[in-house]
Amino acid sequence: MPKGCKFLGLTMATFAGTDGENIRPSVRRLALEMEVSERTVIRALGWLREEEWIAKTRQGNRWLGKTNEYRLVLPPGVLERLHLDPDGEPISDGKVVPIRPSLSDTHVTQTGSESRKSK
């Protein structure tokens, strides 16, 4: 996921209700919050919709002062392709790995300045 899209998703989540719905900030408001251009927000919204991270639940109307409304969603198959390693490398062979494995399941080794988790 591109960094800008990830940041937009997080920003939109701050506007969501407890169920991930009712996200109604304007493109201008999102651009101000993220300190980017409105065009950047529009591109990132398009990417998030195309990749099915958000869904439009209501079409806005500029003339009536109504913004689009969105809800957060998980794309199909996201758990199968989720990478939890900070370096972006898969840390299992296609298996879903717990976010916080117990200490008895893993140990940390260091190689130079780089640390890696292994089983």
Side-chain angles (χ1 to χ4, degrees), residues 13-81:
T14 65
F15 287 95
T18 57
D19 57 359
E21 296 192 10
N22 301 318
I23 303 170
R24 294 186 285 260
S26 66
V27 168
R28 183 178 185 168
R29 173 73 186 269
L30 290 168
L32 289 171
E33 293 288 335
M34 296 173 58
E35 297 179 356
V36 297
S37 70
E38 290 181 25
R39 182 69 191 131
T40 297
V41 170
I42 291 168
R43 278 193 306 268
L45 281 170
W47 190 93
L48 290 172
R49 280 194 310 266
E50 184 177 307
E51 296 296 319
E52 299 181 35
W53 286 96
I54 60 172
K56 189 188 294 186
T57 56
R58 190 188 74 201
Q59 177 65 43
N61 184 320
R62 269 190 205 178
W63 303 112
L64 298 177
K66 304 277 185 182
T67 61
N68 292 337
E69 185 175 304
Y70 297 95
R71 66 181 164 87
L72 303 173
V73 294
L74 284 178
V78 71
L79 295 179
E80 288 81 26
R81 65 179 195 244

